[in-house]
Amino acid sequence: MPAMPATAEPLVPAEVVSSVFYGAAVSDSLVLLVVEVVDGTPRIAWGNEGATRLLGYGVADLQSLPVASLVPSLRGAEVGLLLRRERSARVDLSVRTASGALVQVVVLCTPTPSGRTWTLQLVPADSGSERVRQATAEIHERRLATLTERSPVPTVLSEQGMRLAHVNDAFCSLVGLHAEQLLGTGWMATVHPDDLDDVIEQVVAVLGGRDGEIRARLVRGDGTERTTVLRLSQLFTPGVGAGFVGTVEDVTDRLAVEARLAHQARHDPLTGLPDRTLLAEHVAERFRPGAGGLAVISLDLDDLTVVNESLGHAAGDELLVEVVTRLRATVRPGDLVARSGGDGFVVIGEDLDEGAAVTLAERIGAALAQSVRLGGVDVRPHASVGVTVQTTGHRTAEDLIRDGDIAVCQAKAGGKGRISVLDERARAGARDKLRLVAELREAIEGREITLLYQPILRAGDRAPVAVESLARWHHPLRGPVSPAVFVALAEEGGLIGVLGLLVLDETCRQLAEWDRVLGAAAPQRANVNVSALQLDDHLHGHVVAALERHGLHPSRLQIEITESALMEDPSSAREVLGRLRDLGVSLAIDDFGTGYSSLAYLRHLPVDVLKVDRSFVAELADGHPQIVSAVIALARSLDLTTVAEGVETDEQAAQLADLGAAYLQGFALARPMTGEAAAAWYAARTR
């Protein structure tokens, strides 16, 4: 026979089981009953010899006898306290014999694993073993009473109904009263009047056999309130009835911390004002489509940046706190003041028409313009204020808040310290821009942004050496959208990153496709424009991933970035470009000469190419070659290559070659074309 696994439980031999069952069945000193539920009623299914002797029933009479007939002291749902499926139960009961006499016994009830039957062992109260058990139980009861009394958990005990028979010291401390004041029904006076009915209802449900939990306020002896959670369970005593035991958790401090955290999550920590989320909820609660009278007054401080940069951020914070004090003192009772951003605030007023809203905005502007002393300097803060009032054109609360943002932008565009009522044309323009941003997002996700490729030629022999990738968007309704428009929209709308990745990936894909179709005649390099917003730590990884995805060497790619973009954060730009240069990607400064870069700093940038801006190339036609000549000379002195872009005529191409430009790009040489057209163009040039 194979050995039994070490983890398996040994099986009891059938002979042993049979022997034990036989002994229990014929024993007259062991009283056993088996109970099952038949049609919803607990009934006796079997009894041993000891059961028939104690109860005076015959075996046939005992079978199918309702348990309620045997234990008359248990009524209705109380039988469920004895017949528990989840654990054993021990109850002192009186059982009725066949003669009608009552015998005091201890009932030990054990559920079977299936949970469908129970084994009841009846131990007569006058037996020696029961006397020992009773003495042991009394010891345990005294220990439990001591443990409960000293427990830090407030605990109450009722032996019958609502009347308390015991409260521990922790509960007395919680409510600030003596135990004598709480016993009986005295404890009910500590429950807040508004919560008392709910507590009584919960206790009644527990007395009926259910467990319960309820949050209630308790009033201490000194009149203060504590918020608590009462957890109650039924406690049944045969011959007495149902009571309950309850533990009380004081959650006052926890709720206060949670409320404070919730407040901090939705309020500005510096000023204590509601944040933009709470502002939106406030407007939404009061907004009624088609109604009026709800006004949004948005304002931006004009001088906060100057204060921060000249006097420090502590002075800036002091200014913000002073502004909030003045706003609260100026608005009407019931108006909401919220902080919408770094230097922005919003006032929400009800029952205001446009004239009244403008009057309130003027009062706000005048109050803010009063001098305030910061860091020993008198400062007169000014704010640009935008006013909008709900009309039938506002379909949602978000529309109204957004129009407030548009109004303040309109005010800022007119100069500092101005008050502007929302202009319908500005509203229409702003909403059109929002729609266009959404459509641009869809176009990027659907890869509806296409690329054209403009060849770059060597100035000396006009041989093509590279192409520049140019993004194009053909809107299904608006037609072609200028790159100057949609690139700016992408930057404002947070889409420049995904747009840049699309252009980078598609350019690399097209290079690989040209290699497959043209072989050695394919363009050897492609130039990709990068926005200042893409100059971050992720750019290097994106470039590496695109090159590897399409099996290209880094030398096949040149990154172009404008001079003005480089100057936004020169140190960061130098670090990002340095990593790309180390990778083997070449770098070009686009539109050189239109920004304000330091020539000393330019010398330390890891760039390879200067692209002469088309505006300087256009001056050649007017006989002004000086700037182009100076840029070419500068590049030569820094050991950089030059590309002149915007070449419109053969005369310009010839003159640029004479001035020393290394490469040329423009309509006079080759127009931007699709990838397929570029392949044909390169193939024709090779032939």
Side-chain angles (χ1 to χ4, degrees), residues 628-648:
V628 172
S629 180
V631 171
I632 293 173
L634 173 64
R636 187 180 296 114
S637 68
L638 296 175
D639 197 23
L640 301 177
T641 300
T642 52
V643 176
E645 55 185 355
V647 180
E648 302 292 341

Side-chain angles (χ1 to χ4, degrees), residues 174 214-218 226-230 248-251:
L174 174 62
I214 186 172
R215 179 182 292 183
R217 290 163 292 174
L218 300 183
R226 305 297 291 181
T227 302
T228 64
V229 174
L230 280 66
V248 185
E249 180 186 3
D250 185 355
V251 296

Side-chain angles (χ1 to χ4, degrees), residues 76 186 222 224 268 275 310 351 359-360 380 560 567 638 685:
D222 58 9
T224 59
D268 173 50
D275 63 9
S310 59
D351 301 322
T359 300
L360 178 56
R380 288 185 175 274
E560 293 189 14
M567 291 304 104
L638 296 175
R685 296 287 297 225

Side-chain angles (χ1 to χ4, degrees), residues 432-452:
D432 184 64
K433 179 184 286 188
L434 287 173
R435 280 194 298 270
L436 197 57
V437 168
E439 291 164 352
L440 176 59
R441 178 180 289 106
E442 293 176 359
I444 294 172
E445 292 174 353
R447 296 188 77 90
E448 296 170 10
I449 303 298
T450 58
L451 297 188
L452 298 181

Side-chain angles (χ1 to χ4, degrees), residues 217-490:
R217 290 163 292 174
L218 300 183
V219 182
R220 289 173 47 82
D222 58 9
T224 59
E225 295 179 7
R226 305 297 291 181
T227 302
T228 64
V229 174
L230 280 66
R231 297 181 177 88
L232 309 171
S233 297
Q234 189 191 59
L235 186 67
F236 181 75
T237 305
V240 178
F244 67 89
V245 61
T247 59
V248 185
E249 180 186 3
D250 185 355
V251 296
T252 308
D253 295 337
R254 189 191 77 198
L255 293 178
V257 171
E258 291 174 353
R260 185 165 61 252
L261 292 175
H263 182 277
Q264 292 173 353
R266 307 180 74 178
H267 289 74
D268 173 50
L270 175 64
T271 63
L273 293 180
D275 63 9
R276 197 169 181 90
T277 300
L278 209 54
L279 164 70
E281 292 181 3
H282 179 89
V283 176
E285 289 171 359
R286 290 155 180 78
F287 184 86
R288 299 293 180 270
L294 196 59
V296 176
I297 301 173
S298 300
L299 55 143
D300 280 359
L301 294 181
D302 296 324
D303 305 307
L304 181 61
T305 301
V306 175
V307 170
N308 283 334
E309 292 178 351
S310 59
L311 301 178
H313 285 275
D317 290 347
E318 187 179 346
L319 174 60
L320 289 170
V321 172
E322 176 62 24
V323 165
V324 171
T325 301
R326 295 182 184 185
L327 282 173
R328 284 174 166 159
T330 305
V331 301
R332 307 169 306 161
D335 290 343
L336 175 76
V337 180
R339 188 175 182 189
S340 58
D343 57 0
F345 299 88
V346 177
V347 175
I348 304 297
E350 297 182 73
D351 301 322
L352 288 173
D353 58 19
E354 185 175 292
V358 170
T359 300
L360 178 56
E362 290 172 344
R363 289 208 313 268
I364 290 173
L368 296 185
Q370 299 297 315
S371 177
V372 58
R373 194 161 187 81
L374 301 171
V377 179
D378 288 329
V379 176
R380 288 185 175 274
H382 293 281
S384 298
V385 184
V387 177
T388 186
V389 178
Q390 182 185 350
T391 67
T392 55
H394 293 111
R395 290 180 293 179
T396 65
E398 291 80 4
D399 289 344
L400 183 61
I401 296 173
R402 185 171 60 244
D403 280 356
D405 295 337
I406 296 171
V408 76
C409 291
Q410 185 177 316
K412 292 174 71 173
K416 293 184 178 181
R418 294 179 64 88
I419 296 175
S420 175
V421 179
L422 179 65
D423 178 80
E424 288 299 325
R425 285 189 302 172
R427 172 193 286 170
R431 291 185 175 179
D432 184 64
K433 179 184 286 188
L434 287 173
R435 280 194 298 270
L436 197 57
V437 168
E439 291 164 352
L440 176 59
R441 178 180 289 106
E442 293 176 359
I444 294 172
E445 292 174 353
R447 296 188 77 90
E448 296 170 10
I449 303 298
T450 58
L451 297 188
L452 298 181
Y453 304 91
Q454 186 172 33
I456 299 173
L457 285 67
R458 196 161 44 228
D461 57 6
R462 307 287 178 90
V465 295
V467 295
E468 179 180 355
S469 298
L470 304 170
R472 295 292 184 264
W473 180 24
H474 192 280
H475 192 281
L477 299 177
R478 303 170 189 252
V481 180
S482 168
V485 172
F486 74 76
V487 170
L489 282 177

